[in-house]
Amino acid sequence: MTSIIKETQSIKEAVTFINAIDVNKFSRLISRIIQKLHLKGERTFSEEEEEKLQAALSLDKNALNLVLETSAFILEQAVYHNVKPASLQQQLEMVHLTPEKAEVFSQTWATTGPELVEKLKCNLFAPKKLEYVGWQLNLQMAQSSHARLKSPSAVLQLGLQGEDSEVQENVFVEFNHQQLLDLYNKVCFIMFRVCVRATFMPHHLRVFVPSIHVAFCTPSYFDLFKYLFQTSSPSLCHSFVHTFAPKTHHFPSFFQLEIVQGQLDSLT
Amino acid sequence: MSSSHSKDSLSFLGGRIPPEVESLSKNLKDVDQELFRKILKAVVSALEGKDCTEGMKSIAESSVIPQEKLCHIVAGIHRLLSEAIRIPTALLKQEIFKEDLKELRIPEDFITDFSSVVFGNHRAALEAAASQKDPHLPTLEELKWRVDVAISTSSLARALQPSVLMQMKLSDGRFQRFEVPVSKFQELRYNVALILKEMNDLEKRSILKIQN
């Protein structure tokens, strides 16, 4: 097992300081640090708070900085390697942290760790991210060039958030029925690719079935079957047929399935 | 069924006939079929959005008709055709259209030519060109996408998080490139399905209503 904390000089120094801190105070300190860990570039404590801490923990400015940075570093390493709490405790004791202090780290990690990992997983950077989806369905009655229309048109609002900006940029796109249908087909196909990628176990179709993702991913079971046949193993096709064919010969409208699934999702 | 049109009933042009159309019959008196067809062709290509300055120039130079009168004729034909194209064929039948033109005292041959433009193969192109000029929000021309799986990041050795990168080309020429996390993608998909369902319901209801 590789050690995630190497005993450098600064670690040794930090450990001496940490060991001297009262355990309750230290526990609160670590909780606060781990809460803010996913925010890049933000200070955990304001200047005022740091001054108060210096007094409360009887540390000078440099010592406090060392303690805060080292604690944050330990937690970051724990996140990066996704270590088990017990292993973290052991490793910290190996760099001569007292057992009670090591326990503080591993306890906090055990309770708040998984949540932090999830947050960081979603923290992928891109110039723009889709934050908001809104829409409006209109029935167009007439235009300058056309009288008596009655054609439905949908406007999709996509709220894009830039990396640096506070403001959300709104993109409005208009669709008629056919265009919307084309979009839906594309989106379904993408979803299917995402599902296949995400599991890394293409021969386990049963993994999909409980979440019913595959069923909703394509316009029809035939298309899905064709796709599986072209791109994956025969065993996958076999499982697929086995799973779906006996159940129904009448394929329900995929919209109906979609809506039901959406409603189920909102209930859980 | 004989047409019940009297001079006072509404034609496809509405209650008040535009002056350039009203005067069309008078202006077309000295125009022969060949010239009329040339003018008609130029107006049709203008309605399609094509540049017709060359065509119009040659007509103006080669004909004996004074320019002012020519302008009135072109205006009249342009207005007549635009108004006729506006109304869906389900509502404005060819016979009624011809009747209306007779009321305007347009010569018979010319009526046939007008009719062939409004009800012929060319109509779809004219309708499409006309709706381009109407106000509308950008539509989606092209959607390119990519599925990425982040294996590791600076904060996580093993992230294994899929995400979708989308590039939309809009009809106004703009490109929008953005990342969609999987949860948001689900939301997008759900919403699109919901709109489609509502559209289906809406269309079913519209069909049942009497089209007036």
Side-chain angles (χ1 to χ4, degrees):
Chain A
M1 175 191 59
T2 48
S3 64
I4 62 173
I5 315 280
K6 297 250 182 322
E7 198 171 13
T8 61
Q9 186 56 36
S10 72
I11 294 282
K12 279 192 188 147
E13 264 188 66
V15 163
T16 351
F17 287 129
I18 292 174
N19 283 337
I21 301 174
D22 164 59
V23 74
N24 290 320
K25 288 184 189 164
F26 189 66
S27 177
R28 287 204 294 273
L29 188 73
I30 295 300
S31 302
R32 174 76 180 266
I33 293 176
I34 202 174
Q35 267 168 28
K36 295 259 182 152
L37 209 60
H38 65 287
L39 300 164
K40 344 172 202 179
E42 241 189 68
R43 287 173 67 145
T44 320
F45 297 101
S46 66
E47 288 234 25
E48 258 185 63
E49 289 172 320
E50 282 194 11
E51 281 176 13
K52 286 198 193 136
L53 277 173
Q54 282 174 40
L57 305 173
S58 25
L59 293 167
D60 69 6
K61 195 166 162 125
N62 291 330
L64 179 68
N65 263 339
L66 188 61
V67 167
L68 292 179
E69 276 181 28
T70 312
S71 308
F73 173 72
I74 292 172
L75 292 168
E76 279 168 8
Q77 286 293 89
V79 169
Y80 186 79
H81 295 279
N82 206 9
V83 293
K84 300 222 182 359
S87 158
L88 177 66
Q89 177 151 3
Q90 207 177 21
Q91 291 203 32
L92 290 175
E93 288 180 12
M94 268 167 56
V95 295
H96 305 111
L97 217 59
T98 61
E100 55 174 18
K101 295 287 169 14
E103 198 179 332
V104 167
F105 273 108
S106 71
Q107 285 270 41
T108 322
W109 172 241
T111 43
T112 339
E115 195 186 305
L116 179 60
V117 170
E118 278 311 308
K119 257 191 237 171
L120 286 173
K121 272 188 181 176
C122 300
N123 234 3
L124 304 168
F125 39 76
K128 279 191 229 173
K129 241 197 252 191
L130 180 65
E131 289 281 324
Y132 174 76
V133 177
W135 56 272
Q136 191 175 300
L137 178 63
N138 300 319
L139 185 64
Q140 211 176 20
M141 299 309 287
Q143 287 173 200
S144 337
S145 65
H146 280 102
R148 315 276 186 83
L149 267 178
K150 275 201 202 153
S151 78
S153 90
V155 177
L156 202 60
Q157 176 185 1
L158 303 171
L160 305 178
Q161 186 96 30
E163 241 323 79
D164 305 317
S165 61
E166 290 285 326
V167 181
Q168 219 179 65
E169 183 195 340
N170 279 322
V171 179
F172 295 97
V173 193
E174 197 177 340
F175 295 90
N176 63 21
H177 199 153
Q178 186 57 47
Q179 289 164 334
L180 201 61
L181 209 49
D182 292 339
L183 177 68
Y184 186 72
N185 285 341
K186 275 217 171 83
V187 165
C188 279
F189 192 75
I190 299 173
M191 198 65 231
F192 179 68
R193 295 308 294 250
V194 170
C195 289
V196 170
R197 289 267 170 285
T199 59
F200 293 97
M201 294 187 297
H203 52 280
H204 282 141
L205 187 61
R206 295 247 161 234
V207 168
F208 292 125
V209 173
S211 61
I212 333 178
H213 269 135
V214 162
F216 294 164
C217 278
T218 58
S220 79
Y221 298 127
F222 291 124
D223 288 335
L224 175 56
F225 181 73
K226 260 195 312 196
Y227 174 77
L228 289 175
F229 190 74
Q230 284 159 5
T231 58
S232 356
S233 63
S235 60
L236 183 60
C237 299
H238 188 257
S239 329
F240 173 77
V241 170
H242 226 60
T243 316
F244 289 109
K247 293 224 169 77
T248 158
H249 293 286
H250 162 68
F251 302 132
S253 141
F254 61 103
F255 299 133
Q256 291 166 333
L257 289 175
E258 187 84 61
I259 304 306
V260 167
Q261 180 65 17
Q263 287 165 347
L264 285 175
D265 283 339
S266 64
L267 288 173
T268 53
Chain B
M1 181 189 120
S2 66
S3 154
S4 54
H5 279 271
S6 67
K7 206 137 188 255
D8 306 305
S9 73
L10 294 171
S11 78
F12 72 95
L13 291 159
R16 289 182 61 188
I17 315 281
E20 61 267 32
V21 178
E22 184 83 58
S23 61
L24 202 55
S25 61
K26 195 172 57 171
N27 290 333
L28 286 172
K29 268 207 178 74
D30 309 317
V31 177
D32 64 3
Q33 181 119 38
E34 200 192 316
L35 179 59
F36 173 76
R37 283 196 172 153
K38 272 201 207 143
I39 302 174
L40 187 64
K41 203 160 160 230
V43 172
V44 167
S45 71
L47 283 170
E48 281 177 347
K50 298 192 197 126
D51 179 28
C52 57
T53 39
E54 283 304 318
M56 283 312 297
K57 230 168 145 187
S58 72
I59 293 172
E61 283 166 0
S62 62
S63 80
V64 295
I65 299 177
Q67 254 201 16
E68 203 182 312
K69 206 181 200 185
L70 199 60
C71 289
H72 290 314
I73 295 173
V74 171
I77 296 176
H78 191 279
R79 187 63 185 265
L80 199 147
L81 285 177
S82 318
E83 293 296 325
I85 299 290
R86 272 198 89 230
I87 306 173
T89 45
L91 294 170
L92 178 65
K93 299 281 196 304
Q94 200 169 34
E95 310 80 50
I96 310 289
F97 176 67
K98 284 183 169 167
E99 287 285 335
D100 284 338
L101 291 186
K102 265 206 204 111
E103 291 285 324
L104 292 166
R105 289 177 300 235
I106 309 275
E108 195 69 42
D109 299 330
F110 297 174
I111 293 182
T112 324
D113 288 339
F114 273 128
S115 211
S116 69
V117 170
V118 173
F119 295 97
N121 304 336
H122 229 48
R123 196 203 167 97
L126 288 168
E127 277 184 358
S131 55
Q132 289 282 10
K133 297 192 207 118
D134 290 326
H136 61 90
L137 289 167
T139 58
L140 187 65
E141 247 184 52
E142 194 185 31
L143 177 66
K144 285 196 176 151
W145 55 272
R146 195 173 92 179
V147 172
D148 288 324
V149 177
I151 306 287
S152 71
T153 69
S154 43
S155 2
L156 290 166
R158 262 175 91 70
L160 294 178
Q161 192 68 11
S163 78
V164 183
L165 191 67
M166 289 175 65
Q167 181 171 290
M168 290 184 160
K169 182 177 176 195
L170 301 179
S171 60
D172 60 0
R174 277 166 34 214
F175 278 93
Q176 289 288 353
R177 193 182 304 130
F178 53 91
E179 185 231 339
V180 188
V182 177
S183 54
K184 269 291 166 234
F185 198 78
Q186 295 281 35
E187 202 183 308
L188 178 67
R189 198 185 68 159
Y190 172 70
N191 277 298
V192 174
L194 194 55
I195 310 174
L196 278 165
K197 179 181 173 291
E198 300 264 344
M199 252 192 200
N200 277 336
D201 292 344
L202 188 62
E203 281 169 348
K204 279 195 200 121
R205 269 189 281 154
S206 283
I207 288 167
L208 291 175
K209 279 213 187 103
I210 303 165
Q211 264 217 329
N212 56 339

